[in-house]
Amino acid sequence: MTPRRWYPINIRLDDKPCVVIGGGHVAHQKVVGLLDATSRVTVIAPELCEELQRLHRDGVIDWIAKKYATGDLDGFFLAITATDDPSTNTQVYCDGERDRVLVNSADDPDNCRFILPSRVIRGELVISVSTGGRSPAMATYMRKRLEEEFGPEWGVLTELLGKARDAIRAAGRSTEGMSEKWEAAISEEVLELIRRGELDEARKAIDRCLS
């Protein structure tokens, strides 16, 4: 059977409990990513790197000081393994499949129910790049190129467009059928106004496009 593609998805974690297995620097990176989306992160590892120790001391994360064992996923919604032990990755994945817990294994797509794309984050604008786990180097390269092309002004523009959309809907108007107007508002003129810090003028330019 032809291998199926990964299905792209953004997931809202709110305060769903998540767990990271592993206590090293890769685990720290995964924890930081999760903390952007949920305040309930637990780490399972015999020892923690300095960065994770600091997060634990500050009460940001919980720590279960032990090696992973079957049953440790109980109560969690999502799990990420960040260890250098393939057998642990496999065990976590199998346990997750049995217990209906979403599992990602760092740099081990065969033991993943979901994978983490490279991301460029500009406020509420998130640009994701994925190679389906085939070439992390390519995903990283593309992320760096996108970081150069899409600066912080794009996050501000996203926020301004969102507020404009909210205002239109609050006035009882539909935002459907306005594709050309929205595209006109995403212009180099507006971006340049934002770069210069002229946000009021940027808002007026957006309103003119949407009127």
Side-chain angles (χ1 to χ4, degrees), residues 118-135:
S118 289
R119 299 175 299 167
V120 176
I121 300 176
R122 300 290 184 254
E124 294 299 316
L125 175 64
V126 179
I127 307 171
S128 299
V129 179
S130 174
T131 61
R134 296 287 289 170
S135 178

Side-chain angles (χ1 to χ4, degrees), residues 46-59:
E47 298 178 350
L48 299 180
C49 66
E50 182 177 343
E51 296 90 344
L52 286 174
Q53 288 178 22
R54 188 178 304 115
L55 290 174
H56 179 248
R57 285 196 304 268
D58 293 343

Side-chain angles (χ1 to χ4, degrees), residues 21-43:
I21 294 92
H25 295 292
V26 174
H28 173 253
Q29 294 173 3
K30 303 305 181 184
V31 166
V32 170
L34 285 172
L35 289 173
D36 278 340
T38 178
S39 61
R40 300 179 63 187
V41 178
T42 298
V43 173

Side-chain angles (χ1 to χ4, degrees), residues 71-92:
D72 286 344
L73 295 186
D74 290 351
F76 290 105
F77 175 77
L78 178 149
I80 297 177
T81 59
T83 77
D84 56 4
D85 181 6
S87 64
T88 298
N89 295 348
T90 301
Q91 188 61 58
V92 174

